[in-house]
């Protein structure tokens, strides 16, 4: 089949590698893609968030399937435009994508469906928000309601910092319209986990669990980022717990959206805290996780394009996913200063050498070509993913390969998957 993949980040690079290695795929296009994706797909220079432009291009190439990677095109209604024109799409329409586009909406659906999550209230006034903040007590959790590229969340013990966050969002308009309402939430304690599932709007087929690292620095210090690394599977989440979460969290959300006449087709992502009172949802996303996907796709042995097509056509029932017994560790190489301001346009060296390590994939995220030279173009520049039988070996490979790559100011966390290595488990051969 002929597949069009939308997006240009590390997640899309991993999805592109999964689609390119799917036996069912004859031709792969990536719009706009990136220099790494150009090795497996033909790039199309178009605005992936413009429904009319995407529809035009999908029609021109007569795409058999469009896979939407990031949230922005979903929320912009790209899925709707394609579906209305009869195209097969992996990725929800605008209405069901609101489980990510509005955190208040997601909380509302979770309450309706009885999905375990923390207490939360939505505010557009600072004074009322502070009252609730004080009722809940520290640590304080403040979130912009809308999309803020992973930067609209503040978790802090410091009441003054919490109040500043409220004012920045509600009064100073730091996140624009997305922050004109904020949620104040109960703090959920416990290890975090990402469970992502394929769904056709009815059937739910979960991936193996993954874990990401949101904070910028080692030992979960520093500000929240889009994600500094990930690994899969997750020793603290054995298979039976993953299925329990799928049944008690993801399936009810898929049913709830369907009952509203807004069937969710695509990848549905639950970010959870494994609290002492059981798993509770921190957030839903309407797409694959970034960088979780960079640790999942290298382990997926099933034909990714077939699975996405089965979702798009409502034929997911009976699908089984095959996963490698290898574990995977993915380390993000970020620009110095990220998630704050950072330089771009810096030459990147050592990409070929890094990719030669056995079991290693180098996924591009914030890169571009300048006169034939690959340079940095964003905060998260690359993700280096490594597979191996054990977390110890996968970490060693990932860090060796990441160490071969150089650009000015390169920042990596050194503790990705360290806790999984600590809990090293031997997976059943069965
Ligand atoms: P989100 O964008 O909602 O996933 O939030 C980003 C990160 O902030 C999460 O991965 C958590 O580490 C943290 N966080 C968000 N909400 C909560 C919460 N209610 N309790 C504890 N940590 C949270
Ligand atoms: N890794 C978190 C996210 O994709 O939102």
């Amino acid at each position: 089949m002929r597949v069009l993949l939308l997006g240009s980040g590390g997640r899309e690079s991993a999805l592109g590698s999964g689609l390119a290695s799917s036996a069912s795929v004859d031709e792969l296009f990536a719009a706009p893609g990136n220099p790494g994706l150009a090795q497996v797909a033909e790039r199309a220079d178009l605005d992936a968030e413009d429904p009319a432009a995407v529809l035009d291009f999908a029609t021109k190439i007569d795409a058999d399937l469009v896979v939407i990677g990031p949230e922005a095109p979903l929320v912009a209604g790209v899925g709707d435009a394609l579906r209305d024109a009869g195209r097969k799409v992996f990725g929800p329409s605008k209405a069901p994508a609101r489980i990510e586009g509005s955190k208040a909406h997601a909380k509302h659906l979770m309450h309706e469906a009885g999905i375990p999550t923390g207490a939360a209230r939505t505010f557009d006034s600072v004074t009322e928000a502070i009252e609730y903040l004080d009722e809940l007590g520290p640590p304080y959790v403040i979130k912009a309601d809308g999309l803020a590229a992973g930067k609209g969340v503040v978790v802090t013990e410091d009441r003054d910092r919490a109040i500043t966050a409220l004012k920045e969002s509600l009064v100073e308009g730091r996140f624009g319209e997305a922050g004109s309402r904020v949620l104040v939430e109960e703090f959920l304690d416990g290890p975090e986990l990402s469970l992502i599932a394929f769904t056709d709007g009815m059937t739910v087929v979960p991936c193996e669990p993954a874990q990401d690292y949101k904070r910028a620095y080692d030992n979960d210090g520093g500000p929240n980022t889009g994600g500094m690394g990930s690994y899969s599977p997750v020793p603290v989440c054995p298979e039976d717990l993953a299925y329990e979460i799928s049944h008690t969290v993801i399936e009810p959300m898929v049913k709830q959206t369907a009952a509203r006449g807004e069937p969710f087709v695509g990848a549905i992502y639950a970010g959870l805290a494994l609290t002492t009172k059981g798993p509770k949802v921190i957030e839903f996303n309407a797409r694959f996780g970034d960088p979780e996907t960079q640790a999942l796709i290298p382990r997926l042995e099933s034909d990714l394009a077939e699975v996405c097509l089965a979702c798009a056509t409502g034929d997911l029932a009976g699908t089984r996913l095959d996963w490698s017994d290898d574990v995977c560790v993915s380390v993000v190489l970020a620009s110095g200063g990220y998630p704050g301001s950072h330089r771009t346009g810096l030459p990147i060296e050592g990409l070929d050498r890094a990719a030669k390590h056995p079991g290693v994939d180098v996924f591009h995220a914030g890169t571009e070509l300048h006169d034939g030279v690959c340079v940095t173009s964003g905060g998260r520049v690359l993700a280096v993913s490594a597979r191996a039988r054990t977390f110890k070996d996968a970490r060693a490979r990932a860090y060796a390969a990441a160490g071969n790559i150089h650009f000015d100011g390169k920042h990596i966390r050194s503790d990705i998957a360290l806790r999984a290595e600590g809990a090293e488990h031997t997976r059943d051969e069965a």
Side-chain angles (χ1 to χ4, degrees):
M1 63 179 123
R2 190 174 301 121
V3 180
L4 169 60
L5 169 65
L6 299 183
S8 63
R11 163 188 46 220
E12 287 74 36
S13 296
L15 291 172
S17 108
L19 292 168
S21 60
S22 294
S24 62
V25 173
D26 305 304
E27 264 183 291
L28 180 62
F29 292 83
N34 61 41
L37 271 165
Q39 293 165 17
V40 294
E42 186 172 325
R43 289 183 72 180
D45 184 20
L46 64 90
D47 179 359
E49 293 169 31
D50 177 346
V54 173
L55 176 58
D56 265 2
F57 185 73
T59 308
K60 190 173 110 192
I61 61 167
D62 194 18
D64 298 300
L65 174 69
V66 181
V67 176
I68 306 178
E71 58 275 24
L74 301 170
V75 171
V78 170
D80 306 63
L82 291 163
R83 280 195 181 90
D84 288 349
R87 293 271 152 209
K88 297 187 185 89
V89 190
F90 180 84
S93 296
K94 200 170 170 170
R98 283 182 72 220
I99 64 165
E100 172 161 5
S102 165
K103 290 179 191 282
H105 176 69
K107 278 283 182 189
H108 175 70
L109 293 189
M110 283 187 259
H111 288 309
E112 274 185 354
I115 296 169
T117 185
R121 282 175 54 190
T122 310
F123 299 94
D124 52 20
S125 126
V126 175
T127 322
E128 286 168 24
I130 294 175
E131 276 173 27
Y132 191 56
L133 210 68
D134 288 334
E135 193 181 317
L136 290 177
Y140 305 102
V141 182
I142 321 279
K143 296 183 180 179
D145 177 42
L147 292 183
K151 292 169 195 150
V153 177
V154 171
V155 181
T156 177
E157 295 274 350
D158 178 350
R159 186 172 176 273
D160 291 340
R161 172 74 193 95
I163 293 173
T164 305
L166 287 172
K167 288 182 181 157
E168 281 172 352
S169 195
L170 291 175
V171 183
E172 293 156 26
R174 176 158 180 213
F175 305 110
E177 182 56 29
S180 61
R181 293 198 301 172
V182 296
L183 276 78
V184 175
E185 280 187 21
E186 174 190 354
F187 178 79
L188 297 174
D189 207 3
E192 282 185 43
L193 181 81
S194 307
L195 192 67
I196 301 163
F198 290 89
T199 180
D200 60 2
M202 296 260 293
T203 301
V204 169
V205 179
C207 294
E208 292 211 338
Q211 191 153 64
D212 80 342
Y213 287 77
K214 290 250 167 65
R215 301 289 185 128
Y217 311 127
D218 280 11
N219 302 314
D220 294 330
N224 265 321
T225 70
M228 291 298 296
S230 62
Y231 63 86
S232 169
V234 181
V236 294
C237 184
E239 197 176 20
D240 52 344
L241 180 57
Y243 273 97
E244 180 195 319
I245 295 170
S246 184
H247 289 315
T248 57
V249 169
I250 298 188
E251 286 174 16
M253 188 51 118
V254 168
K255 278 207 185 93
Q256 194 66 15
T257 52
R260 295 169 62 91
E262 301 171 352
F264 188 107
V265 172
I268 179 163
Y269 166 125
L272 304 129
L274 302 180
T275 74
T276 48
K277 294 187 186 141
K280 292 194 180 185
V281 175
I282 291 180
E283 64 167 345
F284 271 103
N285 290 321
R287 45 156 180 90
F288 280 102
D290 188 340
E292 290 91 331
T293 308
Q294 292 89 310
L296 283 170
I297 295 297
R299 301 186 54 234
L300 181 66
E301 292 176 343
S302 307
D303 184 307
L304 174 62
E306 290 278 20
V307 179
C308 293
L309 184 66
C311 291
T313 55
D315 296 320
L316 193 62
T319 300
R320 232 188 73 104
L321 299 177
D322 293 320
W323 298 94
S324 162
D325 280 338
D326 281 354
V327 306
C328 186
V329 173
S330 185
V331 176
V332 168
L333 285 68
S335 297
Y338 173 78
S341 62
H342 48 265
R343 290 166 67 202
T344 55
L346 303 167
I348 305 169
E349 284 163 16
L351 289 168
D352 290 341
R353 197 163 156 222
K356 287 205 178 91
H357 289 260
V360 164
D361 289 296
V362 177
F363 294 125
H364 288 234
T367 70
E368 64 189 19
L369 285 182
H370 269 190
D371 301 326
V373 177
C374 193
V375 301
T376 65
S377 68
R380 289 188 292 174
V381 179
L382 299 153
V384 172
S385 299
R387 270 168 293 131
R389 194 76 187 93
T390 63
F391 281 109
K392 184 166 185 282
D393 292 347
R395 291 187 76 240
R397 283 179 173 178
Y399 279 107
N404 290 151
I405 300 174
H406 301 285
F407 52 88
D408 246 16
K410 175 183 96 175
H411 167 61
I412 58 179
R413 271 184 67 158
S414 69
D415 61 348
I416 304 301
L418 192 58
R419 48 182 179 245
E421 182 180 324
E424 193 75 75
H425 62 146
T426 324
R427 306 186 76 226
D428 280 343
E429 296 291 346

